[in-house]
Amino acid sequence: MIRYTLIFLLFFSFSINAQNISGQAFYESKTTVDMDALGGGREMSEEMKKTVAQMMKSALEKTYILTFNKDESIYNEQEKLDAAPMNPGFKMMMSSYTPGAQYKNLKTGQIIEENEFFGKQFLVTDSIKTLDWQITKESKPIGQYIAFKATAIKKVDPNDYSMARPKKKDEKENAETKKDTAQPQDPMDMIEIPEEIEVTAWFTPQIPVSNGPGEYAGLPGLILELNVYRTTLLCSKIVMNPKDSEKIEPPTKGKKVTREEYVKIVKEKTEELRENFQNRGGNGRRGGGFGG
C-alpha cells in the first residue's frame, strides 16, 4: 500500500510542478559490440580484440547533454578530445555519419536534427514517434531520484543503416557456403537490420517533463536511463533551473530534408558504395562524397 501511495504522489507532482521547470541532464553512452562478428568471419586474437576495442571506445562511449524546459529540448554531444589514437581508416569509417544537434518540440510534436553524412550537412525534420509505452511496477533509485521502468517495441525502418548489426557467426558461415569462394565477400551480406527492437526506459516523475535523450519522449517524467538495442544511455548528472545553459532553438545548418528523404539518400549512397566494392573485387576504396 505504501508503494502505490508513493507512486501516486510522484505522478501527482507531475501535473503541478511542470509549468516553469528547466534543466540540463548529462548522459553517458555505452555500446556493446560482438567482437567475433566484427571480425567478418575471421578469428581475431585476444590482442587484436583489445586493440580494436580500444579504438572503438572513443567512438562509442560519449557524453550527451539534454537541455530542456516544459515543452522544448536541445540534445547535443559534449565535445571532448580523443583519449586514444584511432586508425585513420577506422576513424574515416566511423565519421561517415555524424549526428548533430537535435531539437524536440513536445507541443507541436516536431523533431529537427542536424546530420552530417559523408561530408554533407543535412537538416532532417520529422514528427516525434509515439511509442506504446508499458509502464511497469518496477522501480529503482538513479542518483537522488526514484525511477520507474517502462518498455516499448519500436519498429525499425529496413533502410535505417544506423541500426545495422553484424550477423551472428553461424548465419555468416551459412551465407558464405552459398557463395563462390573465389568471389569477394559482400560486406552487406555480413550485416542485418532488425525488424523491431525493444526499448527500455527508466523515468522519474520527480522531474515532470515528458522528455528524454535522443528521439525518445512521451513518459510522465524525464527519462534517466535508456536501453536501445546494444546501447545504454545513463544520466550521470542533472542541473535544475541552471543560470547559464544553451539556448533552446531549432538547428538551422544543412540542406532541409524530411526523414523519408534522408533515409533514401543514405540508402542510395550505401548501395553506391556496395557497387563500387563489388566492381573493384572487394579492394575498392571508399566512394567519394556528394556532388553539387
Side-chain angles (χ1 to χ4, degrees):
M1 185 67 183
I2 295 176
R3 176 189 181 88
Y4 290 103
T5 301
L6 176 60
I7 293 175
F8 172 78
L9 290 173
L10 287 172
F11 276 73
F12 179 72
S13 69
F14 183 91
S15 61
I16 61 176
N17 293 327
Q19 297 305 313
N20 299 314
I21 197 169
S22 66
Q24 284 187 306
F26 295 73
Y27 296 88
E28 306 295 331
S29 75
K30 290 186 181 295
T31 301
T32 59
V33 178
D34 186 339
M35 300 301 293
D36 291 327
L38 195 65
R42 297 184 299 271
E43 295 292 337
M44 285 196 295
S45 66
E46 289 303 315
E47 183 178 354
M48 177 60 71
K49 287 181 182 180
K50 289 180 181 179
T51 301
V52 174
Q54 186 63 33
M55 287 194 301
M56 296 185 72
K57 184 175 181 180
S58 61
L60 297 177
E61 295 186 6
K62 299 178 180 294
T63 300
Y64 296 91
I65 304 175
L66 179 72
T67 303
F68 61 88
N69 57 34
K70 175 178 174 288
D71 296 318
E72 298 174 285
S73 66
I74 192 79
Y75 185 67
N76 265 317
E77 179 185 343
Q78 186 178 46
E79 294 184 4
K80 63 179 180 180
L81 297 175
D82 289 337
M86 187 182 297
N87 178 278
F90 183 81
K91 187 173 184 177
M92 181 173 63
M93 178 184 70
M94 294 299 295
S95 63
S96 61
Y97 164 71
T98 306
Q102 187 181 65
Y103 167 85
K104 291 202 298 282
N105 189 312
L106 303 179
K107 185 175 289 187
T108 64
Q110 186 181 46
I111 185 169
I112 304 173
E113 62 186 36
E114 291 177 338
N115 284 336
E116 182 182 332
F117 183 66
F118 276 93
K120 189 172 180 66
Q121 198 79 23
F122 294 93
L123 190 65
V124 184
T125 60
D126 197 3
S127 58
I128 299 174
K129 299 296 186 291
T130 303
L131 296 179
D132 183 18
W133 291 109
Q134 303 297 313
I135 298 176
T136 73
K137 299 177 182 178
E138 195 173 344
S139 66
K140 68 177 181 180
I142 297 180
Q144 66 187 55
Y145 301 97
I146 298 174
F148 295 89
K149 182 180 179 180
T151 61
I153 300 298
K154 177 184 175 183
K155 299 292 184 181
V156 178
D157 189 313
N159 297 314
D160 185 356
Y161 289 100
S162 69
M163 296 301 298
R165 63 183 178 187
K167 288 182 178 178
K168 294 180 181 178
K169 191 173 182 180
D170 56 343
E171 293 173 338
K172 289 188 295 183
E173 289 173 349
N174 291 336
E176 288 169 359
T177 58
K178 297 177 183 179
K179 287 185 169 287
D180 183 352
T181 55
Q183 296 296 320
Q185 181 67 47
D186 188 336
M188 298 303 291
D189 291 334
M190 309 301 291
I191 64 172
E192 62 181 354
I193 298 175
E195 294 181 0
E196 59 183 29
I197 56 174
E198 183 178 29
V199 180
T200 300
W202 293 85
F203 69 96
T204 178
Q206 291 171 272
I207 303 178
V209 294
S210 298
N211 216 326
E215 65 190 79
Y216 297 94
L219 285 164
L222 181 68
I223 296 173
L224 300 183
E225 182 179 328
L226 190 69
N227 300 288
V228 183
Y229 199 26
R230 291 176 176 169
T231 297
T232 296
L233 285 160
L234 179 61
C235 185
S236 59
K237 182 175 71 171
I238 294 177
V239 181
M240 297 304 300
N241 303 312
K243 294 181 179 180
D244 298 316
S245 64
E246 181 180 3
K247 194 172 182 180
I248 301 177
E249 291 181 335
T252 58
K253 296 179 181 178
K255 178 182 178 181
K256 294 182 179 180
V257 293
T258 64
R259 176 71 63 189
E260 291 75 17
E261 290 170 336
Y262 181 70
V263 168
K264 183 180 179 181
I265 290 169
V266 173
K267 180 184 178 183
E268 290 175 349
K269 185 63 178 177
T270 303
E271 291 296 331
E272 177 191 331
L273 295 174
R274 181 182 189 182
E275 184 178 344
N276 289 342
F277 179 88
Q278 292 172 334
N279 290 340
R280 298 178 187 181
N283 295 314
R285 298 178 182 176
R286 196 182 87 172
F290 296 88

